Amino acid sequence: MAQPSSSSKPVVPLLKDELDIVIPTIRNLDFLEMWRPFFEPYHLIIVQDGDPNRTINVPEGFDYELYNRNDINRILGPKASCISFKDSACRCFGYMVSKKKYIYTIDDDCFVAKDPSGKDINALEQHIKNLLCPSTPFFFNTLYDPYREGADFVRGYPFSLREGAPTAVSHGLWLNIPDYDAPTQLVKPLERNTRYVDAVLTIPKGTLFPMCGMNLAFDRQLIGPAMYFGLMGDGQPIGRYDDMWAGWCVKVICDHLGLGVKTGLPYIWHSKASNPFVNLKKEYKGIFWQEEIIPFFQSATLSKECTSVQKCYIELSKQVKEKLGAVDPYFIKLADAMVTWIEAWDELNNNTSEEVPSKPTNGAAAAK
């Protein structure tokens, strides 16, 4: 009986050379050990927040580059002012310096979750599948994602819309600790999310959503310049709205450009809850401001001249300054930072070289 060939080709991970994993952190990245089976083939961009003199330990075997605040200041110069400090919003610097088509970003307190059968969930693989399949933002399919195996378009779905739209964003969810605001944390301190819903759906055009950055993937070429996490943290009057601000901007621009945003699978295991009292201090103004911010984004429109993400984002920044500037001077500062972000993005990414313009001082590619 013939034996199987031992020279069969190994399975190449999806998008191995087309995707970067971006991780913001202030601590050693021991959590990567549990993600090793899924992350090790990919390149990591680690954005170190806080003290740049602190050494961050990364497990052996990972291919990575690490940037701290000194690197950010050196690479961006005066434009580094648009990158938040002492806040996970600093992760967007990783989006800017990446040269890959796709980005997956994850927080360092997010562990590998298990599906109902007890199997480890390869969150990255599911995100890639979401991004590589079209979205359906213009007409809702009641069987959710019609491109998944075992599903299709239901009776009555327009044939003219069945090709779908390119998917720009894949928004994953979390088991265990839910992504709650501080008031909800305080009244439900013991609540845990144990519901695994086996579904992926497209968020309809014209509908906003609260984007969470802890388990998120996106097509950098389609929507990257809009993935700015704003001015948060040190020296700013607000925190914990970074990912949501980016999500509102992204959704308005995706709707305008005919791109799709998916939410649902994959799940990660969110291991610990942050301090609700600290969170309340960060969120306090945002809780009031969001009652003005959300109607602003719900009514925001972009002109037909906005044919690129950059043009859309610059026009949106002008509207932020004009309409939200009356809410608080912070939004004038934020609008200016949005423009600076685009200028910095274009400066780094108009370079046709695959190399990052300046190498990080505190990280190196680990030997494979």
Side-chain angles (χ1 to χ4, degrees):
M1 183 175 178
Q3 296 295 316
S5 171
S6 60
S7 61
S8 58
K9 292 183 179 179
V11 177
V12 178
L14 288 170
L15 303 181
K16 175 182 178 296
D17 298 318
E18 299 179 68
L19 182 144
D20 279 333
I21 299 173
V22 175
I23 305 169
T25 193
I26 58 170
R27 57 181 64 88
N28 294 333
L29 293 180
D30 300 329
F31 92 114
L32 285 173
E33 286 295 351
M34 71 172 58
W35 287 104
R36 186 180 291 277
F38 307 129
F39 288 2
E40 192 171 20
Y42 295 88
H43 179 67
L44 312 182
I45 297 178
I46 300 163
V47 184
Q48 178 180 344
D49 198 16
D51 183 3
N53 295 314
R54 183 171 186 265
T55 299
I56 298 292
N57 293 321
V58 180
E60 290 187 6
F62 287 93
D63 174 45
Y64 72 94
E65 53 196 296
L66 187 152
Y67 297 90
N68 61 34
R69 192 70 203 188
N70 293 338
D71 298 315
I72 295 171
N73 291 339
R74 179 170 46 81
I75 292 168
L76 296 185
K79 292 184 174 65
S81 61
C82 72
I83 305 297
S84 298
F85 185 56
K86 295 186 178 178
D87 193 278
S88 64
C90 67
R91 78 178 77 218
C92 61
F93 177 78
Y95 310 160
M96 182 185 285
V97 297
S98 171
K99 299 302 177 188
K100 303 292 179 61
K101 178 173 169 55
Y102 300 98
I103 295 287
Y104 175 53
T105 185
I106 185 172
D107 284 4
D108 60 15
D109 62 350
C110 293
F111 299 165
V112 177
K114 294 184 181 296
D115 67 18
S117 72
K119 181 182 177 182
D120 285 350
I121 297 170
N122 184 345
L124 179 54
E125 181 181 59
Q126 180 64 53
H127 274 298
I128 291 171
K129 290 178 179 178
N130 291 349
L131 289 171
L132 293 181
C133 288
S135 295
T136 54
F138 308 116
F139 200 91
F140 188 79
N141 192 55
T142 52
L143 276 182
Y144 307 123
D145 189 347
Y147 306 103
R148 287 188 72 190
E149 186 177 351
D152 211 322
F153 294 97
V154 298
R155 181 170 54 90
Y157 199 100
F159 286 91
S160 60
L161 295 177
R162 293 190 181 194
E163 287 188 3
T167 301
V169 179
S170 172
H171 178 255
L173 299 175
W174 350 267
L175 294 171
N176 196 36
I177 304 297
D179 186 29
Y180 285 162
D181 54 37
T184 308
Q185 282 184 288
L186 287 167
V187 297
K188 294 183 172 182
L190 302 179
E191 185 156 290
R192 299 293 181 266
N193 182 34
T194 59
R195 296 175 64 241
Y196 179 96
V197 180
D198 186 14
V200 178
L201 58 146
T202 298
I203 301 172
K205 181 179 180 179
T207 300
L208 297 176
F209 75 113
M211 189 173 81
C212 173
M214 74 172 82
N215 175 28
L216 178 73
F218 61 92
D219 186 321
R220 186 177 174 277
Q221 290 184 1
L222 284 181
I223 201 63
M227 275 290 180
Y228 175 47
F229 277 42
L231 287 177
M232 304 282 156
D234 194 48
Q236 308 303 333
I238 186 175
R240 284 174 54 85
Y241 274 80
D242 53 329
D243 43 8
M244 293 186 291
W245 178 265
W248 296 325
C249 293
V250 160
K251 190 58 167 63
V252 168
I253 293 172
C254 282
D255 287 352
H256 176 75
L257 296 178
L259 304 173
V261 176
K262 292 182 178 179
T263 189
L265 300 179
Y267 285 92
I268 51 82
W269 180 269
H270 189 201
S271 64
K272 62 182 181 181
S274 48
N275 187 310
F277 296 100
V278 173
N279 290 346
L280 184 60
K281 185 177 180 180
K282 293 179 179 179
E283 295 173 0
Y284 182 76
K285 290 191 174 183
I287 291 170
F288 292 98
W289 288 348
Q290 71 184 24
E291 302 307 315
E292 304 279 350
I293 296 171
I294 292 172
F296 162 76
F297 282 108
Q298 287 174 325
S299 62
T301 57
L302 300 170
S303 67
K304 63 182 181 180
E305 286 75 27
C306 293
T307 54
S308 70
V309 175
Q310 283 94 330
K311 289 178 180 178
C312 290
Y313 203 71
I314 292 297
E315 181 161 318
L316 198 55
S317 74
K318 294 175 182 176
Q319 295 180 29
V320 167
K321 179 175 283 190
E322 177 187 349
K323 297 182 180 179
L324 293 180
V327 175
D328 191 272
Y330 164 75
F331 291 100
I332 298 174
K333 184 179 180 182
L334 176 56
D336 289 338
M338 292 168 71
V339 175
T340 302
W341 160 265
I342 292 296
E343 291 172 350
W345 181 284
D346 285 346
E347 284 182 12
L348 287 186
N349 290 284
N350 281 343
N351 189 335
T352 57
S353 169
E354 289 297 309
E355 296 291 324
V356 174
S358 185
K359 293 292 183 183
T361 57
N362 194 15
K368 296 293 282 183

